Amino acid sequence: MVFRDDILAGKVAFVTGGGSGICRGIAEALMKHGANVAIAGRKAERLEATARELETSTGKRCLATPCDVREPTEVEAALDRTLAEFGRLDIVVNGAAGNFLAPASQLSYNGFRTVMAIDALGTFNVCRAAFDRYLRDHGGVILNISATLHYTATPLQIHASAAKAAIDSMTKSFALEWGRLGIRVNGIAPGPIEGTEGMSRLAPGDVAEKHRASVPIGRYGRIDEIANVAVFMASDAASLLHGTTVVADGGAWLTGTPLEW
Ligand code: NAP
Ligand code: COA
C-alpha cells in the first residue's frame, strides 16, 4: 500500500458505479484505508455480490444501495439507507456513467439524452441530495469521475464528451458555492484504463494495441492507479485541492491520438 492504512478510518463513502470497474476499485481502496462504503448502481444482484467480495477483501463494511442516478427519488432513498446504516457521509464519488461509440450523424436523440442523463444529471442529483441530507451541515469530499475526451474533441463520443464537460463545469460551480461549508469538490479524469467495461466498449480488438503505443508512458493505466488518486484526493493530504480535476492518464491526452477515426 502506498498510504498508511488508516488515513480514512471512521469515514463513510457513497460510490456510484461502485459495482464494477474503476469505481469498484475506488470503493475497495477507500475501504482498505479505513472507510465503510455504500456502492450504487442499477444491478442489485451484482452490487450485492461486489459488496460481499469487498467486505471479504478489506474487512470493512460495504452496503449495496441499488438506484438509478437519473431518478432523484431513488438517489435520495439510497443516501437515506446509507445514513441510516452508517450514521454519517464523508466522501461522495460520482462514477456512474454510460458510453458507447456512435457517430453524431447516427446517434439517436434518446442515445444522446441517455448518456447526458446518467453522467451529468446523475452527478448533479447525487451531489444535490447528499448536500441536503448531510454535507451542508457537516462538510465532506466530493469526487466526480470525468475523462479527457472533451479536452480536444473525441470522434464517435459527442455524448460522453459533452457529459464529462458538464461534469467538470459542475465540479467548479459546486466548489465555488460549497467551499466555505467545508465541502471539498474535485474531479479525477482517467485516461484509458486496462480491463474495464469502458475500454472494452471503446477499443475493441487491435484498436487498443495500436492506441496503447501512443501513450507517453507506453501503456494504459490500471484501476489501482486511479484508486490511489481517489484515496489521496479523499484524504486530508489533498486539503488545498478544490474545484480542480486531476488528470491521471500517463500523458495520453497530450498526444491527441484518438482511439480510431
Ligand atoms: P463500468 O464498469 O461500466 O462502470 C460504470 C458503472 O456505472 C457501472 O457499475 C454501472 O452499474 C453504473 N451505472 C451506469 N448507469 C447507471 C445509472 N443510470 N444509475 C446508477 N449506476 C449506473 O465502467 P468503467 O470503465 O469502470 O468506468 C467507470 C468511470 O470511469 C466512468 O465514469 C467512466 O466514464 C470513467 N472513465 C473510464 C475510463 C476507462 O478507461 N474505462 C476512462 C475515462 C473515464 P449498473 O449497470 O449496475 O447500473
Ligand atoms: N450505439 C448507438 N446508440 C446506442 C447504443 C450504441 N452502442 N447503445 C444504446 N444506444 C441508444 C439506444 O438505441 C437508445 O436510443 P433509442 O431509444 O433512440 O433507440 C438509447 O441509447 C438508450 O439506450 P437504452 O439501452 O435504453 O439505455 P439504458 O438506460 O438501458 O442503458 C447505456 C444506458 C446505453 C449507456 C448502456 O450502454 C449502459 O447501461 N451502460 C453502462 C455501462 C457503460 O456504459 N460503461 C462504460 C462507462 S464509460
Side-chain angles (χ1 to χ4, degrees):
M1 293 232 285
V2 179
F3 308 107
R4 221 178 52 204
D5 66 6
D6 64 350
I7 57 172
L8 300 177
K11 307 274 187 193
V12 171
F14 181 80
V15 181
T16 73
S20 64
I22 291 172
C23 294
R24 174 193 164 120
I26 290 175
E28 183 172 35
L30 297 176
M31 292 168 75
K32 282 186 170 159
H33 291 84
N36 289 321
V37 173
I39 52 175
R42 292 161 302 172
K43 300 190 186 91
E45 227 170 275
R46 181 170 72 179
L47 278 183
E48 274 300 341
T50 298
R52 299 293 79 77
E53 286 163 22
L54 296 189
E55 286 190 336
T56 303
S57 68
T58 67
K60 300 302 291 183
R61 291 175 59 207
C62 187
L63 179 70
T65 52
C67 69
D68 188 325
V69 295
R70 292 169 288 193
E71 301 298 337
T73 52
E74 292 186 26
V75 169
E76 289 170 354
L79 285 163
D80 286 342
R81 276 195 63 206
T82 304
L83 285 163
E85 186 75 18
F86 295 129
R88 58 187 294 151
L89 178 61
D90 305 281
I91 301 159
V92 173
V93 180
N94 285 297
N99 200 4
F100 47 77
L101 294 175
S105 57
Q106 285 162 42
L107 179 62
S108 72
Y109 299 123
N110 191 37
F112 184 83
R113 181 173 47 211
T114 297
V115 171
M116 288 297 286
I118 300 171
D119 296 28
L121 304 190
T123 295
F124 180 82
N125 293 342
V126 172
C127 289
R128 182 72 176 76
F131 178 84
D132 257 2
R133 277 163 176 65
Y134 196 84
L135 300 181
R136 173 178 36 218
D137 298 328
H138 302 88
V141 170
I142 295 174
L143 292 177
N144 295 327
I145 308 304
S146 187
T148 60
L149 306 169
H150 51 296
Y151 292 2
T152 51
T154 302
L156 314 179
Q157 289 180 68
I158 191 171
H159 41 314
S161 302
K164 295 301 194 186
I167 287 174
D168 288 359
S169 178
M170 284 188 278
T171 294
K172 290 187 272 191
S173 297
F174 284 137
L176 190 69
E177 294 194 23
W178 293 353
R180 284 192 176 76
L181 299 172
I183 306 171
R184 213 157 47 71
V185 189
N186 289 296
I188 300 173
I193 302 301
E194 230 30 284
T196 58
E197 178 67 23
M199 286 318 289
S200 73
R201 284 172 179 238
L202 306 180
D206 65 350
V207 175
E209 208 161 311
K210 277 189 258 159
H211 185 246
R212 214 178 261 115
S214 76
V215 179
I217 62 167
R219 63 175 178 85
Y220 281 175
R222 299 186 313 268
I223 289 175
D224 67 286
E225 292 178 304
I226 300 299
N228 276 335
V229 176
V231 170
F232 162 66
M233 291 179 76
S235 79
D236 291 342
S239 53
L240 203 55
L241 265 61
H242 190 55
T244 195
T245 295
V246 170
V247 178
D249 75 336
W253 88 270
L254 296 174
T255 72
T257 311
L259 279 164
E260 59 179 347
W261 181 226

